Amino acid sequence: MAESKRDYYEVLGVGKDADDAALKKAYRQIAKKYHPDMNPGDAEAEKKFKEASEAYAVLSDPEKRRQYDQFGHAAFEGGAGGAGGFGGFDFSGADFSDIFGDIFGDLFGGGGRRGGRSQGPMKGMNVRKSVRITFEEAVFGCEKELDVVLKDSCPKCNGTGAKPGTSPETCPKCGGKGQVVYTQQSFFGTVQNVQTCPQCGGTGKIVREKCSDCQGTGYVSNRKKIAVTVPAGIDNGQSIRIREKGEPGANGGPRGDLLVEVSVSRHPIFQRQDMHIFSTVPISFAQAALGADVKIKTVDGEVLYTVKPGTKTDTKVRLKGKGVPSVRNSQVRGDHYVTLVIQTPERLSAEAKEALKRFDELSGNTLNAAGTGSAGNSGSGKKRKGFMNKMKEAFDE
Ligand SMILES: [Zn+2]
Ligand SMILES: [Zn+2]
C-alpha cells in the first residue's frame, strides 16, 4: 500500500479535462514507444507500458474516471471504492484485450511491424478472427470452435526456407542484422535512419536454394480447430485474446496471439446496454386496472410479476439481477428493466363490447348512441374527467 503511485493524468501527460480522443492519442503514443514487443527484455519500458495501460484503462472508462477523480487511487484499492473495485490489473487473458483490443488493432493489426526484424527473438504477428454468437451466449458465455489457418514452421527445412542439405547464408548487405542504417546530414544535425534491409527483407539471411515444401518462406499453412471460451457478459465488438495461437515468432520468439472479435446477434425482444437488459411487455387494460400476475420473459426464463392495481402504461419495472453478468466477475449481474405497455383491444366480441360499454357507464362516461367510441363527451362530461379522456392522456404522454 505504501508504494506511491503516479497520478494517472500525469502518467499520460494530459490535463484533467482531456477528452476521449486526447486520452487515446496520448496512450497510443506511450504504448507504441514502450510496448514490450518493441522493447524485448526492457523492464523499465514494460513498467512504463503497464503504468500507462492502467491509467488509460481507468480514465477511458467514464465510471472509473469519475471514481478516480473523486477518490484518487484509493477508489480501486481493496474494494474501498465499492462498485466492484478494480483491484489488481491483470494484463493477461480476455481482460486485457477487451480494454485494449481496439488500440492494438490500430497499432499492430496492419502487419507492418515485421519490417524491422532483428536477430533477437521476435513475437509472431497476431491473427484476427471473428465469431458470431447469440444474445444468450453472450450473456451466459459459451464454448466455440474456430477453424483457423495458421502458419507453422516448415518441418522439411526446419523453418530455414533452405533446401534440405543446404543452409541459408548470412545476408552480405546487412551482415545478418536485417536492418541497414543510413546516416543523413540534416538541419537538425546527423540523423540516423534505420530501414529494413532491402536485400534479405529483414530476415538477415539469403536462401540460395529454396525448400520445395515452403517455397523458401520457412512456413507451411495448417488448418486448425481452436477452442474459444467466450466469457459470460461479453459484449458486441469486444475481443478475446488467445495467447500464442497467432503466427509463429522468429528466432525462437513466441507465437503471436489470436484475437477473436465477438459479434452478438440481435435478440427479438431483449435489448442490451452494458450490463442491463431492456424489454417491453404488453398487458391488458383489465390487468392494469385490476392488478394481475403476468409472466415476463427474462434470460433466466419466465418470471412471475405482480402488476399492481391501477398501473399506468409505460410503467417501468426493475427485475434486479436479471441482467448481464460482469465480464470480470460473473457473480455481479446487471438488471432487467421492463416497460409495461397497456394494449388497447382492437377486436372485441359483441359481449365484450357490451361489458366495456357497461363499464364506461359505471365510470361516469356517456358514449353517444352509435357507440363510435368518440372521445367527445356529452352531458355529464364536463363534471368529471371521464375514462376516455384519461385513457387518451395516458397514451398521449
Ligand atoms: Zn521448408
Ligand atoms: Zn540483409
Side-chain angles (χ1 to χ4, degrees):
M1 283 286 113
E3 191 182 334
S4 67
K5 285 181 86 156
R6 280 215 292 161
D7 177 71
Y8 286 149
Y9 292 99
E10 190 188 310
V11 168
L12 293 180
V14 295
K16 293 245 191 268
D17 56 350
D19 62 9
D20 284 354
L23 286 173
K24 197 165 182 170
K25 193 176 163 213
Y27 173 63
R28 186 176 306 199
Q29 280 173 352
I30 297 171
K32 257 185 184 163
K33 193 169 169 191
Y34 294 115
H35 193 278
D37 286 358
M38 306 296 204
N39 304 274
D42 183 342
E44 189 59 28
E46 190 177 337
K47 203 178 134 214
K48 284 214 165 75
F49 174 73
K50 284 189 174 172
E51 190 183 29
S53 299
E54 182 181 319
Y56 179 71
V58 170
L59 297 183
S60 62
D61 180 318
E63 179 55 31
K64 291 188 187 112
R65 183 172 180 177
R66 202 157 47 236
Q67 289 178 26
Y68 178 72
D69 287 344
Q70 205 173 347
F71 302 110
H73 290 298
F76 312 112
E77 279 161 12
F86 210 47
F89 282 81
D90 178 12
F91 287 97
S92 63
D95 212 12
F96 184 69
S97 58
D98 62 51
I99 299 171
F100 302 113
D102 61 331
I103 283 190
F104 290 126
D106 295 346
L107 273 182
F108 301 131
R113 99 185 148 101
R114 291 293 280 274
R117 195 189 310 193
S118 69
Q119 287 295 76
M122 282 286 292
K123 191 179 174 185
M125 280 212 288
N126 293 336
V127 172
R128 302 179 81 85
K129 287 285 281 186
S130 61
V131 65
R132 177 166 282 276
I133 61 173
T134 66
F135 188 92
E136 286 88 350
E137 285 174 330
V139 173
F140 294 113
C142 59
E143 301 284 329
K144 290 279 160 185
E145 201 174 60
L146 288 182
D147 260 326
V148 187
V149 177
L150 286 181
K151 284 183 189 167
D152 282 310
S153 185
C154 172
K156 188 165 183 177
C157 62
N158 279 325
T160 64
K163 187 178 166 185
T166 73
S167 51
E169 295 165 22
T170 300
C171 170
K173 183 157 179 83
C174 62
K177 287 192 187 71
Q179 293 178 335
V180 280
V181 179
Y182 295 94
T183 306
Q184 274 179 318
Q185 296 300 322
S186 83
F187 184 72
F188 303 103
T190 306
V191 177
Q192 289 198 326
N193 280 318
V194 179
Q195 285 185 353
T196 302
C197 172
Q199 193 161 338
C200 63
T203 61
K205 299 211 163 72
I206 301 282
V207 174
R208 300 279 178 209
E209 285 183 88
K210 289 176 181 169
C211 164
S212 57
D213 276 20
C214 62
Q215 284 79 44
T217 61
Y219 298 116
V220 287
S221 291
N222 291 313
R223 182 174 292 274
K224 286 179 189 169
K225 290 202 183 299
I226 291 175
V228 183
T229 301
V230 179
I234 198 149
D235 210 346
N236 192 43
Q238 291 182 324
S239 293
I240 299 162
R241 179 180 295 254
I242 302 169
R243 300 243 161 231
E244 300 194 12
K245 295 287 183 192
E247 296 204 346
N251 305 318
R255 296 188 77 104
D257 300 330
L258 177 63
L259 299 174
V260 183
E261 186 175 339
V262 174
S263 67
V264 181
S265 298
R266 279 178 171 277
H267 192 278
I269 59 170
F270 300 140
Q271 275 114 49
R272 170 175 173 181
Q273 199 176 355
D274 302 323
M275 287 165 64
H276 301 304
I277 294 174
F278 299 84
S279 69
T280 298
V281 170
I283 57 173
S284 72
F285 170 69
Q287 286 174 320
L290 302 173
D293 286 344
V294 294
K295 285 176 181 167
I296 296 180
K297 282 200 178 77
T298 74
V299 288
D300 292 325
E302 282 182 338
V303 166
L304 208 58
Y305 178 79
T306 303
V307 174
K308 289 192 207 77
T311 292
K312 293 187 175 60
T313 197
D314 276 342
T315 294
K316 306 276 190 288
V317 169
R318 183 169 79 141
L319 303 175
K320 209 165 177 289
K322 295 289 180 193
V324 181
S326 159
V327 78
R328 292 182 177 80
N329 177 3
S330 59
Q331 301 303 307
V332 178
R333 278 182 75 173
D335 302 323
H336 182 153
Y337 292 90
V338 175
T339 305
L340 299 174
V341 177
I342 296 175
Q343 303 293 290
T344 303
E346 287 179 277
R347 261 177 241 149
L348 291 170
S349 66
E351 200 180 348
K353 270 184 192 164
E354 273 315 306
L356 213 51
K357 279 182 196 166
R358 173 81 183 122
F359 165 76
D360 202 34
E361 283 163 17
L362 289 171
S363 307
N365 292 298
T366 311
L367 288 178
N368 60 34
T372 57
S374 155
N377 288 335
S378 61
S380 63
K382 274 179 184 149
K383 286 181 204 153
R384 268 183 287 172
K385 207 172 182 187
F387 159 68
M388 290 306 286
N389 282 331
K390 282 186 187 160
M391 281 293 282
K392 198 166 173 292
E393 280 170 15
F395 281 91
D396 283 349
E397 273 172 14

